[in-house]
Amino acid sequence: MSSHFASQKLTTTNDVTNDIQQPSYSVVAYITAYQDLAALSRCIQAIKAQSYPIQRIVVVDNSPIPLSLKDSLDVLQWSHPTNIGISGGLRKLIAWTTYQTYDFVWMFDQDSQPAPDCLDQLIQAYARLAKKHPVGIVAPLPVDPRTQYVVPPGCFIRDRFEGIEITPATQAQPCDSPITSGSLLWLKTVDSVAPPDVRLFIDGIDLDYGWRLKQAGYQNFVIPKAVMSHNFGYPTEVRFLGKKKVFQAYSALRYYYIARNHTYLELKFSKGRYKLTCALKRLKFVVAQTVWLSIADTDCKIQKIWACLAGTYNGFLGNLDQQFRGISLDPIMAEYKKGGNAND
């Protein structure tokens, strides 16, 4: 295992009164795209507008018909019309970086837009934290601009992942699993931590990867001064027992992978008697989810309820090979085999 601690590369800027040393790292940005050219273009523009320089932008385009980017000579676009998911794209990107000289990969969903100083804040925080900790990921504060909801990072507590509250005054909040989008990954970690399991496809990748980084001795942090806009599901208002609630709606595909992957991962990470309490909580969750779906969603209710039930069932079985209908495992596993063995 290589040393967890980063050896900083420094450039020096001379001031009138003193010498100021600023960390200088090479960063490649990565975006997973799917059938939304406008969102992808906004994400790319926000990345290009960073006050800290980005060396390269790589896009894995899972759209059936490749998206046509204009003025994108500096963007490397890989088309996968069979859809290899977020996990397959990340695994391909990480394998590619082993032949490059980048220090970090900055990971994004297409519906995220970092503030102009976001990367600069993350780099400064990393340089500061890496003096004391073996840092795996530093991540921004993700805020949904439609609801002002702060998407919390996860911490695994006994038998489940729980979101932890982040306050703006916090300088750096340690956590197990920041959300994937916006996470700045120190690439030296790939020497000792296997890339994401491609069978997870789209959900729970952050929970799995962040937790495995933590188990390998790295620490992950959310930096509240680094802000990123991130559309979190489809907010839907519903009244329940006289109270207004905001319910995050998704496609049936997302419901399937949320149910399957969270059930699988939480059971996998729970130990001893907590496996039983985990199982009971997952059953309680799927019942609550089906109730919410019957109240809040107006389209495809039966399909989405089926997705929750089938996902939970396969999660209990540990059956990650069973993908959502319409998703072929063949191209996913082709990428999987290129990157090494399963993360079981």
Side-chain angles (χ1 to χ4, degrees):
M1 181 183 295
S2 63
S3 172
H4 291 162
F5 290 95
S7 57
Q8 293 184 21
K9 296 188 295 184
L10 299 176
T11 58
T12 303
T13 303
N14 292 323
D15 189 73
V16 174
T17 56
N18 61 340
D19 289 342
I20 301 174
Q21 288 189 317
Q22 299 283 355
S24 178
Y25 301 101
S26 58
V27 181
V28 56
Y30 164 83
I31 309 169
T32 305
Y34 185 74
Q35 289 189 312
D36 193 337
L37 179 59
L40 175 60
S41 298
R42 288 192 295 269
C43 183
I44 289 173
Q45 291 308 312
I47 292 171
K48 288 182 175 181
Q50 292 299 297
S51 56
Y52 192 95
I54 297 282
Q55 275 65 47
R56 194 71 181 270
I57 299 174
V58 177
V59 174
V60 165
D61 180 10
N62 286 321
S63 307
I65 300 175
L67 300 175
S68 179
L69 291 170
K70 296 181 179 178
D71 302 322
S72 58
L73 294 178
D74 53 346
V75 177
L76 179 59
Q77 184 175 358
W78 295 330
S79 179
H80 285 276
T82 52
N83 196 349
I84 61 173
I86 293 175
S87 53
L90 280 174
R91 196 176 185 96
K92 179 171 182 175
L93 185 281
I94 290 172
W96 175 79
T97 62
T98 61
Y99 300 98
Q100 312 298 319
T101 57
Y102 300 109
D103 298 307
F104 292 97
V105 57
W106 201 16
M107 302 174 284
F108 286 98
D109 298 339
Q110 65 186 12
D111 53 359
S112 297
Q113 296 177 56
D117 68 339
C118 185
L119 181 57
D120 187 52
Q121 292 287 351
L122 293 177
I123 291 291
Q124 289 186 42
Y126 175 83
R128 181 177 68 252
L129 292 165
K131 294 176 182 178
K132 299 180 180 180
H133 309 282
V135 179
I137 289 173
V138 285
L141 187 72
V143 181
D144 191 326
R146 302 163 300 179
T147 62
Q148 298 308 304
Y149 173 71
V150 175
V151 187
C155 277
F156 190 75
I157 302 174
R158 295 185 294 275
D159 57 9
R160 65 174 176 170
F161 281 97
E162 295 185 11
I164 58 174
E165 184 178 356
I166 303 293
T167 61
T170 306
Q171 190 172 35
Q173 176 66 56
C175 62
D176 293 339
S177 303
I179 71 167
T180 303
S181 192
S183 286
L184 186 68
L185 173 69
W186 175 241
L187 282 170
K188 288 295 182 183
T189 61
V190 304
D191 294 339
S192 54
V193 180
D197 186 332
V198 297
R199 298 171 302 171
L200 293 173
F201 191 70
I202 192 171
D203 280 287
I205 298 158
D206 46 1
L207 304 181
D208 173 56
Y209 200 41
W211 179 250
R212 289 191 293 107
L213 284 167
K214 185 84 177 288
Q215 294 302 106
Y218 294 100
Q219 294 192 41
N220 305 319
F221 296 89
V222 169
I223 313 302
K225 286 185 178 181
V227 179
M228 178 185 73
S229 294
H230 178 73
N231 290 346
F232 182 63
Y234 303 97
T236 303
E237 285 190 4
V238 61
R239 287 197 171 274
F240 184 69
L241 300 178
K243 296 182 179 180
K244 185 174 72 173
K245 300 283 187 180
V246 176
F247 178 79
Q248 297 294 343
Y250 301 97
S251 66
L253 178 146
R254 290 292 307 279
Y255 282 119
Y256 176 82
Y257 285 108
I258 289 170
R260 190 197 69 170
N261 294 352
H262 283 237
T263 301
Y264 167 78
L265 292 171
E266 290 181 352
L267 279 171
K268 178 182 178 180
F269 297 150
S270 296
K271 305 298 181 185
R273 64 187 177 91
Y274 289 116
K275 283 190 178 292
L276 175 60
T277 59
C278 175
L280 293 173
K281 287 177 181 178
R282 291 311 305 172
L283 290 172
K284 181 181 178 181
F285 175 83
V286 74
V287 170
Q289 188 80 289
T290 55
V291 171
W292 276 114
L293 281 169
S294 63
I295 295 171
D297 252 14
T298 57
D299 67 322
C300 305
K301 289 184 181 182
I302 300 301
Q303 185 185 28
K304 291 177 181 180
I305 290 172
W306 172 88
C308 289
L309 295 172
T312 301
Y313 175 74
N314 284 313
F316 272 114
L317 293 180
N319 186 6
L320 294 189
D321 290 337
Q322 184 62 51
Q323 302 296 313
F324 188 75
R325 61 173 177 260
I327 299 297
S328 171
L329 197 61
D330 294 339
I332 299 173
M333 293 309 294
E335 291 300 321
Y336 191 46
K337 291 173 182 177
K338 289 177 186 177
N341 296 323
N343 302 320
D344 288 335

